[in-house]
Amino acid sequence: MSTTGRGEVAAILGYGNQGAAHALNLRDSGRRVIVGARPGRGAEARAKEAGFEVFTPAEAAARADVIAMLVPDEAVPDAWATVGPAIPSGACLVFAHGFNLLYGALDVRSDADVVLVAPTGPGRVLRQVYERGDGLPAYLAVHQDGSGRAWQRAEDYAEWLGCARARLWRTTVREETEVDLFGEQTVLCGGMNELVTAAWRRWWRPATRRRSPTSECVHQLKFLADLLHERGVSGLRQGISGTALYGDVSRGARVIGPASREAMKTMLEEIRSGAFAKELAGEVAAGRPTILRETARAAAHPMEAARRRALGLPEA
Ligand SMILES: NC(=O)c1ccc[n+]([C@@H]2O[C@H](COP(=O)([O-])OP(=O)(O)OC[C@H]3O[C@@H](n4cnc5c(N)ncnc54)[C@H](OP(=O)(O)O)[C@@H]3O)[C@@H](O)[C@H]2O)c1
């Protein structure tokens, strides 16, 4: 049980996916919490409605002992221009992802602690799990140890979040960042979304009015992902039919063939060299054209309408 930081003020900068969960969990763990949000925006209103005292991000940082930087990664460099100079002496800065610590070249005063406390799931889940008395595991790392007790402060923060009820893994900023980016690009987001869309498109021919493959390509993914989560690949294989098993072991490597493996190698090199981070900074500076184009295209994709029909939802 943490004994440090009893009277400390924690400022949560950014009241979004992670920020709201951090603020609520810390408050329920008996911390004094204030929120930093841009005036007149949605996050400010949501934090006030939840009963938090809200300041601008720089004002909140100036009043705090522990400062969690939970604005989107791509917004951190801009936000840092006002937050950085406001950091008080001896403060502990908490990041939930190492991206800007590894690539951002943030100028942080030397007497501050800078730590990574990265919960292994979205904020909504972090909050739900905390409310039922459990915790999400988290990765911890120390980027800068100004006080000589940065590891302890990272562990304290993880305890307030509820993560110490599960597991805390010590890692490095580089490792957490590279693993996170590689996982989301190859499997969790990039790989999975392209895979289900390509499979759906290969099957679906509106003119034939055949059964939509939405169920097979999208909905059942959750059940199989749950099996994978609980039992691993070999446990999952024990839980599927013999036919599915033979299809898996005889065909899977054709889907993820040499071209995909080569692409993963290149993607990992781009992450490690910083080329991906540089490309993302260019995308943000240009007004996010790729993100806007591709998200609009996905929203208009016929698979989306089929999904809504399959679930009996009204048309978008
Ligand atoms: N999402 C996840 O599942 C997850 C999981 C683990 C770690 N993380 C990490 O947690 C951190 C926060 O990510 P998130 O997904 O929680 O962010 P988010 O929900 O996308 O955004 C957080 C809030 O930041 C505010 N904001 C945007 N730009 C800002 C700026 N320039 N200055 C001040 N506030 C600004 C936005 O509110 P307004 O527009 O209303 O101001 C928004 O509500 C990131 O480092 C991320 O990598 C995320």
Side-chain angles (χ1 to χ4, degrees):
M1 188 73 185
S2 118
T3 51
T4 57
R6 280 277 158 221
E8 290 187 340
V9 174
I12 305 297
L13 310 189
Y15 195 81
N17 189 325
Q18 285 289 316
H22 287 228
L24 294 165
N25 288 10
L26 260 62
R27 184 169 68 183
D28 289 350
S29 293
R31 300 293 118 191
R32 291 170 57 200
V33 179
I34 59 175
V35 169
R38 297 184 290 189
R41 311 283 289 234
E44 181 193 40
R46 287 195 304 278
K48 283 186 174 166
E49 201 179 309
F52 291 104
E53 216 179 337
V54 183
F55 302 91
T56 66
E59 284 167 358
R63 290 164 190 260
D65 306 283
V66 177
I67 300 152
M69 196 65 185
L70 298 173
V71 304
D73 294 312
E74 64 273 21
V76 168
D78 267 359
W80 193 254
T82 55
V83 169
I87 304 290
S89 162
C92 179
L93 267 166
V94 179
F95 285 75
H97 183 22
F99 191 86
N100 280 288
L101 299 177
L102 188 58
Y103 306 116
L106 303 179
D107 188 16
V108 187
R109 56 182 305 153
S110 60
D111 62 3
D113 293 331
V114 184
V115 302
L116 177 70
V117 179
T120 54
R124 186 177 45 82
V125 180
L126 180 66
R127 179 62 183 157
Q128 280 169 353
V129 170
Y130 179 96
E131 283 181 307
R132 63 166 198 252
D134 294 327
L136 270 188
Y139 290 99
L140 306 189
V142 168
H143 180 66
Q144 177 175 300
D145 193 352
S147 69
R149 54 189 188 93
W151 277 110
Q152 181 60 52
R153 293 176 97 182
E155 282 171 12
D156 287 348
Y157 190 89
E159 184 182 323
W160 306 338
L161 266 188
C163 298
R165 297 169 180 168
R167 284 196 65 183
L168 304 179
W169 291 292
R170 286 194 177 198
T171 181
T172 62
V173 165
R174 174 172 290 282
E175 186 178 55
E176 186 275 341
T177 307
E178 290 180 352
V179 169
D180 201 70
L181 294 177
F182 188 67
E184 64 201 17
Q185 291 176 17
T186 55
V187 179
L188 303 176
C189 306
M192 178 177 68
N193 288 335
E194 282 299 324
L195 181 64
V196 297
T197 308
W200 191 93
R201 173 59 90 189
R202 169 66 14 224
W203 177 265
W204 178 244
R205 294 284 177 274
T208 65
R209 293 185 173 276
R210 293 165 77 180
R211 182 175 148 206
S212 163
T214 306
S215 165
E216 282 68 22
C217 292
V218 182
H219 298 298
Q220 292 194 38
L221 189 59
K222 173 171 173 23
F223 308 132
L224 276 295
D226 285 344
L227 266 182
L228 188 65
H229 184 254
E230 283 161 26
R231 304 186 194 172
V233 170
S234 74
L236 180 150
R237 283 178 166 161
Q238 286 166 21
I240 57 181
S241 70
T243 316
L245 178 60
Y246 183 67
D248 168 358
V249 298
S250 66
R251 300 297 195 269
R254 280 161 58 179
V255 178
I256 309 299
S260 297
R261 291 169 198 272
E262 194 54 38
M264 285 187 197
K265 182 169 171 272
T266 307
M267 284 153 65
L268 184 55
E269 284 163 5
E270 288 168 357
I271 290 167
R272 290 194 165 143
S273 69
F276 172 76
K278 203 168 157 197
E279 188 181 314
L280 175 59
E283 166 80 5
V284 172
R288 312 200 313 154
T290 311
I291 293 172
L292 295 175
R293 183 186 66 240
E294 292 305 320
T295 49
R297 191 152 62 168
H301 194 283
M303 184 171 81
E304 190 49 31
R307 184 189 73 85
R308 301 186 77 82
R309 275 196 303 278
L311 293 175
L313 298 170
E315 289 194 10

